[in-house]
Amino acid sequence: MKKLLLPLALLLVAAGCEEKTTDPAAPRSADQTESADHRGPGGYSGHAAERKAIQQLLNTYGAALNASDAAKITSLFAQDGVFAAPGSPTATGPTQIRAAFDGLFGAVTLNLQFTPAEIVVVNSRYAFATSTSSGTVLVKANGQTATNSYRELWVFVKENRQWKIARYLFNQPQ
């Protein structure tokens, strides 16, 4: 747990140094997300291209989630990545993350649309994002479909010159 909190706290402190003029929880269009300037004191100047790459990573994650592709999702995480879902044990590393998603996809089929609220590139190695998602969840055990909404917190790290998911947490707003 300490491995998760320290990088997250550092990222949040760094991001908090900037002045925001809009509500960070309000959804933004792809154009607004890419063009917003999130460079704080000492911030990374290559932010626009990096945010675009992170947006693509989020798009790939969403497509893999909706396709129930646990292998693809696992490949999007850093080697020491963490996946924390409500009511489930924290999954750390590729083996546990793969098992968590295999279990999830054994129980449900998801059809969710992700909307980024903000993507903040802290520097050339670290970034974070918040998003919301909504759509349907088909429970395989009883065949019932429900409409659900979620909010997500993502922390990204660059590994081998590619953005990877370092930490991913989500919950339901209500």
Side-chain angles (χ1 to χ4, degrees), residues 65-69 101-110 137-146:
L65 189 75
N66 290 333
S68 299
D69 189 344
F101 281 99
D102 281 339
L104 175 69
F105 297 143
V108 300
T109 300
L110 301 166
V137 179
L138 168 67
V139 179
K140 292 180 178 179
N142 60 20
Q144 293 184 348
T145 299

Side-chain angles (χ1 to χ4, degrees), residues 28-34 47-62 114-119 121 129-131 156 163:
R28 298 179 186 175
S29 71
D31 290 342
Q32 289 172 317
T33 301
E34 186 174 332
H47 58 283
E50 300 294 0
R51 277 199 314 276
K52 186 174 181 179
I54 291 167
Q55 179 63 57
Q56 182 57 47
L57 174 61
L58 291 172
N59 293 344
T60 301
Y61 174 87
F114 287 85
T115 304
E118 67 179 341
I119 296 174
V121 177
T130 59
S131 62
F156 304 98
W163 287 108

Side-chain angles (χ1 to χ4, degrees), residues 63-88:
L65 189 75
N66 290 333
S68 299
D69 189 344
K72 181 64 176 177
I73 289 173
T74 302
S75 75
L76 301 175
F77 276 82
Q79 285 301 304
D80 64 347
V82 174
F83 170 59
S88 298

